[in-house]
Amino acid sequence: MQYTLDDFLKEWNDSSETVTLKTSGSTGKPKNIELKKSAMVASALRTCDFLGLRKGDTALLCLPLEYIAGKMMAVRAIVRDLSLKSVTASGHPLKGQNHSFDFVAMTPMQVYNSLQDEEEERVLRKIRHLIIGGGHIDEELEERLRAFPNAVWSTYGMTETLSHVAMRRLNGDNYSQWYQPLKDVMVDVNMDGCLVVHDKLTSIGPLHTNDLAEMNIMDRSFRITGRLDNVICCGGLKFQIEEIETEIKSHINIPFIISKRRDNKFGYVPVLVMQSVNEDDLRKVKLICENVLPKYKRPKEYILSETLPMTETGKPKRLLS
């Protein structure tokens, strides 16, 4: 049974001091955790203040309410008294919409899909503050968003940090490749090269993430270079899944992802999954990988599939069973 806005409001208004949330499942099966409502309120107000959202501004809820991103959109509407419209979470949340929204949060996939349709793109371009989270924004998508007339933001965060704790502008004069921590958020890098987050406002942290990061020591901004759990240790050599995708992406014109699989001999091996059932596509992609990639980075297996393997929240499933 689908978890609705009414279900969330009932939970939000009960006597409990916490809300139950699912983690994203990007590193395994989603799990339930408890987060304090007071911390969610503080985080929501911080975002509203940062974006300059005011009472009566219009917002669109188009993310699953089972997860932190959807829940926090509802909380922001509650604490700032926004005019919230809720639609079923889908790949085309702007389809049939004729409103001009002040605030919308979407995933990269939803934004990409909206850009493929003229009417949906028209609605997308009118959004005053568009925040994008829940997955990697590739260079092509970022390039298309750079000319948008209103503010477009990439967010960094997770369930444990109550949605985003840092943002970077994707367009306009304030465009940046670096995430700026929000007020009262401190970040550092640990011995593994992963980002550590400490949020004084919500009393969260220090939280050691699995995100490999590069720090700008001048202003404590950062950028994400990959994930620790996306490192493939293959026969004693280590490399990032994202490295392989970057090296071959410009040569392959069909959707694909790089995953990994346990291997008795090598430990883990890279696997390429492509959204195709055409054997000719398989042969072409395999030849591209052989010509472009060094031997140790080449996929050891190629999989044809009607759909790409994703987690429940739409992120690439990197570890195959």
Side-chain angles (χ1 to χ4, degrees):
M1 183 179 296
Q2 186 178 12
Y3 183 83
T4 66
L5 181 57
D6 286 339
D7 294 327
F8 172 71
L9 293 175
K10 183 178 180 180
E11 183 179 9
W12 183 255
N13 292 317
D14 67 20
S15 59
S16 174
E17 295 182 353
T18 63
V19 168
T20 302
L21 299 99
K22 280 185 178 181
T23 58
S24 66
S26 58
T27 59
K29 290 185 177 180
K31 60 183 179 181
N32 290 336
I33 63 174
E34 299 287 327
L35 294 175
K36 291 183 178 180
K37 292 177 182 176
S38 58
M40 295 172 72
V41 168
S43 174
L45 285 171
R46 178 170 59 192
T47 293
C48 290
D49 290 343
F50 179 83
L51 296 177
L53 298 175
R54 300 176 181 178
K55 177 181 178 179
D57 280 348
T58 55
L60 177 68
L61 171 58
C62 59
L63 300 170
L65 275 157
E66 294 90 341
Y67 299 98
I68 187 64
K71 280 182 166 62
M72 287 304 298
M73 279 298 294
V75 176
R76 292 170 195 135
I78 292 169
V79 300
R80 190 45 55 94
D81 199 11
L82 305 178
S83 175
L84 182 67
K85 180 174 183 178
S86 177
V87 297
T88 301
S90 72
H92 287 270
L94 302 182
K95 188 176 181 63
Q97 297 295 330
N98 54 11
H99 295 273
S100 295
F101 295 103
D102 293 301
F103 179 42
V104 183
M106 299 173 70
T107 66
M109 179 193 71
Q110 289 175 322
V111 174
Y112 174 85
N113 289 345
S114 297
L115 287 171
Q116 311 312 307
D117 182 276
E118 287 186 9
E119 291 186 4
E120 292 177 37
E121 181 179 355
R122 194 174 299 115
V123 177
L124 190 70
R125 294 177 69 91
K126 290 181 180 179
I127 296 170
R128 186 160 67 90
H129 282 291
L130 172 63
I131 65 173
I132 308 172
H136 173 67
I137 302 173
D138 66 28
E139 293 178 2
E140 291 181 14
L141 179 56
E142 188 169 320
E143 185 64 31
R144 288 198 64 179
L145 296 170
R146 198 162 300 171
F148 266 43
N150 296 316
V152 184
W153 306 86
S154 172
T155 65
Y156 175 83
M158 60 201 71
T159 304
E160 293 83 354
T161 61
L162 302 168
S163 189
H164 52 260
V165 290
M167 302 175 72
R168 70 181 181 94
R169 186 72 179 262
L170 297 180
N171 67 333
D173 294 338
N174 294 323
Y175 166 80
S176 177
Q177 295 182 338
W178 299 80
Y179 286 98
Q180 292 287 342
L182 297 181
K183 182 182 178 181
D184 293 319
V185 175
M186 297 179 292
V187 295
D188 209 336
V189 176
N190 62 19
M191 294 292 291
D192 292 323
C194 291
L195 194 71
V196 181
V197 177
H198 186 193
D199 187 351
K200 292 191 296 182
L201 180 69
T202 59
S203 300
I204 292 173
L207 175 66
H208 291 254
T209 75
N210 284 328
D211 294 312
L212 298 167
E214 178 184 352
M215 293 287 302
N216 183 337
I217 60 174
M218 299 297 294
D219 61 1
R220 307 306 294 173
S221 61
F222 64 93
R223 56 185 174 189
I224 302 301
T225 59
R227 284 185 62 86
L228 187 63
D229 41 2
N230 284 353
V231 174
I232 300 179
C233 299
C234 181
L237 298 173
K238 291 184 179 181
F239 48 91
Q240 286 283 142
I241 280 176
E242 294 89 348
E243 291 178 20
I244 302 176
E245 290 181 339
T246 298
E247 290 179 37
I248 61 177
K249 182 178 178 181
S250 63
H251 303 277
I252 298 176
N253 59 6
I254 59 174
F256 77 94
I257 64 170
I258 297 294
S259 296
K260 63 180 179 180
R261 178 170 284 163
R262 290 184 179 86
D263 183 85
N264 291 335
K265 180 179 179 180
F266 294 103
Y268 285 92
V269 294
V271 177
L272 189 148
V273 186
M274 66 191 81
Q275 190 172 311
S276 173
V277 292
N278 189 321
E279 292 290 339
D280 285 339
D281 286 338
L282 188 151
R283 285 188 286 269
K284 291 176 182 177
V285 169
K286 187 175 181 180
L287 182 61
I288 289 170
C289 291
E290 290 174 350
N291 289 334
V292 174
L293 294 171
K295 187 174 182 180
Y296 70 94
K297 285 186 180 180
R298 293 173 193 165
K300 300 297 187 290
E301 184 179 356
Y302 296 82
I303 298 175
L304 292 170
S305 177
E306 292 184 355
T307 59
L308 297 178
M310 298 289 177
T311 66
E312 289 185 19
T313 52
K315 297 180 182 180
K317 191 174 182 180
R318 297 301 193 179
L319 178 60
L320 302 177
S321 56

